[in-house]
Amino acid sequence: MAVRDDSGITPIFRAQHQAATAGKVPAPVRVSTDDGELWVRAVPMPGAGVMNSVLSTVHLGDRGVTVVDPGWAGGKAQDAAGNVLRPLDDFLRERGRRLEDVTDVVVTHAHPDHVGGAAEMLRATGARYHLGTVEQRTVDAARTGRSQDDYAVDRHAIGAPDGVLDKYPFPLAKKGLPPFIPRQRPDATVEDGDLLTDHGVTAELGWRAVLTPGHTPGHLCFADDRRKLLVAADHVLPEIFPGIGLGVASLGGNPVKDYLAGLDRLAEFDDYTVIPGHGYCFTGLAARRRETREHVMERAGEVSRVLEWNPEISVWRLAGRLTWSGGWESLADSPMVWSAIRQTMMYRDLVLEGA
Ligand SMILES: [Zn+2]
């Protein structure tokens, strides 16, 4: 069933891999039948390649249905009548369950493609809502506008020419609950090392939370030690490399450093099957961790070469000397400019600290 991929990872389900790499939305796959059925279901979202959908994990247990990352809400994730829950209901009914059977909704991180579908799902089912403790802290910081940011951008200090950054508001300066986050607080917040069963999630799903900050400050993976499965969400992806430092708020520290530490931490699961947030299930986590680290270090190397040549270069000019897909010129004149500058600052710190 498995097909070897030239990147050193091995996709588990041929059809899922073929669809995902052809830019189609893969059909659901059944990952395990050990103590209930564990399914991985792609929810469509706006995006290209493997980012055309987000992988939602659905466990059909004796005492209920647990959904990890409900997925995107709206657009192609809805049925023709605009009902966002109908596709999940159809999926469950084909397997002898129904929407009302959903007892728990678990979210790996507060991004619209993962948590976006949660609010409506919680409303329709009355399920319990579980989010990481640290991620909930970023949600609270966004709500109150009290981000603790080591990479707040001072336009003069970074050497940006007058006026160029005025067009786009600094994204983290916005105060208020992001619209894709459920208004209700989680019924349980999940700490690093917690078992989901400790939070009332059906006993068959003894998943352990693994805190892997970097993509967002409170990003969680879930390890299923019995079935040797790792829900890696957006920490490690096949085909593409995750963005870093993209929380709804910042809690301080250097997300690039955190991200690299998280990659090392996942070594414990190198022989597990990986269920990523986008793309397809695979084995070969060690190889993918290595490639991902190399990608980050390549970027650090680029920053390091510019700094060797000119240690005093401003952040603005440093950013302009790095390689950006699409080019710096168009990036510098887009709302993404803030994220690019912040990333440049994070990488510069990493290099200056001698990583
Ligand atoms: Zn994602």
Side-chain angles (χ1 to χ4, degrees), residues 51 54 109 111 113-114 215 234 277-278:
M51 291 303 289
V54 55
H109 63 292
H111 273 176
D113 51 336
H114 297 258
H215 181 62
D234 284 358
H278 306 271

Side-chain angles (χ1 to χ4, degrees), residues 1-354:
M1 187 158 57
V3 260
R4 187 105 211 142
D5 188 80
D6 50 7
S7 66
I9 65 177
T10 305
I12 307 290
F13 305 99
R14 185 184 292 272
Q16 187 193 40
H17 172 248
Q18 275 174 351
T21 50
K24 295 181 186 137
V25 176
V29 294
R30 194 172 58 185
V31 178
S32 168
T33 51
D34 177 4
D35 235 343
E37 291 186 10
L38 188 69
W39 287 83
V40 171
R41 180 178 164 263
V43 178
M45 61 181 263
V50 293
M51 291 303 289
N52 71 357
S53 56
V54 55
L55 297 182
S56 173
T57 304
V58 183
H59 181 260
L60 312 178
D62 280 349
R63 267 159 301 172
V65 170
T66 302
V67 177
V68 179
D69 282 355
W72 185 263
K76 289 182 291 174
Q78 305 170 337
D79 73 353
N83 185 333
V84 72
L85 292 172
R86 189 60 185 277
L88 174 64
D89 192 36
D90 290 345
F91 168 87
L92 291 172
R93 281 172 191 275
E94 282 160 22
R95 289 156 187 86
R97 308 298 176 99
R98 49 203 294 184
L99 195 60
E100 293 71 38
D101 296 338
V102 177
T103 48
D104 295 277
V105 172
V106 182
V107 172
T108 61
H109 63 292
H111 273 176
D113 51 336
H114 297 258
V115 72
E120 210 153 325
M121 199 177 288
L122 292 167
R123 207 165 25 241
T125 62
R128 288 171 299 231
Y129 170 35
H130 312 261
L131 181 68
T133 308
V134 180
E135 200 70 345
Q136 178 59 32
R137 223 175 283 150
T138 69
V139 169
D140 289 337
R143 187 194 341 248
T144 55
R146 289 204 198 104
S147 224
Q148 192 194 98
D149 194 358
D150 292 341
Y151 296 94
V153 178
D154 175 328
R155 41 196 96 199
H156 296 291
I158 64 161
D162 276 346
V164 291
L165 287 173
D166 295 344
K167 263 203 248 175
Y168 307 103
F170 183 56
L172 292 184
K174 258 187 286 169
K175 182 172 149 182
L177 192 67
F180 51 84
I181 307 271
R183 302 202 76 80
Q184 74 188 79
R185 297 186 71 81
D187 296 282
T189 57
V190 183
E191 303 268 352
D192 182 38
D194 281 2
L195 292 175
L196 281 184
T197 45
D198 297 340
H199 293 283
V201 176
T202 159
E204 303 123 313
L205 209 61
W207 293 6
R208 175 161 59 97
V210 184
L211 181 64
T212 47
H215 181 62
T216 66
H219 184 282
L220 290 180
C221 297
F222 289 98
D224 181 337
D225 298 312
R226 194 156 57 86
R227 302 178 187 88
K228 292 214 161 199
L229 297 171
L230 179 72
V231 174
D234 284 358
H235 199 76
V236 182
L237 297 170
E239 304 293 322
I240 58 167
F241 299 110
I244 299 177
L246 303 176
V248 291
S250 172
L251 300 177
N254 185 339
V256 178
K257 260 174 89 175
D258 293 343
Y259 181 76
L260 289 171
L263 279 181
D264 292 345
R265 197 179 167 194
L266 293 186
E268 190 189 333
F269 312 108
D270 277 350
D271 60 340
Y272 284 34
T273 292
V274 179
I275 302 172
H278 306 271
Y280 47 86
C281 305
F282 65 91
T283 55
L285 178 60
R288 194 55 184 163
R289 287 193 306 108
R290 195 167 50 241
E291 289 163 352
T292 307
R293 171 173 279 278
E294 277 165 15
H295 175 79
V296 173
M297 295 320 285
E298 241 167 64
R299 186 54 147 189
E302 208 183 355
V303 170
S304 168
R305 285 188 292 279
V306 179
L307 289 177
E308 262 167 46
W309 162 76
N310 180 1
E312 304 301 327
I313 193 167
S314 71
V315 170
W316 179 262
R317 289 185 57 218
L318 172 57
R321 292 190 165 268
L322 304 178
T323 321
W324 303 95
S325 48
W328 171 247
E329 298 299 314
S330 62
L331 185 61
D333 190 24
S334 80
M336 292 302 290
V337 66
W338 293 109
S339 158
I341 289 170
R342 289 166 57 78
Q343 292 215 20
T344 303
M345 292 164 80
M346 291 166 200
Y347 275 96
R348 188 185 61 166
D349 277 1
L350 189 75
V351 167
L352 293 177
E353 286 168 29

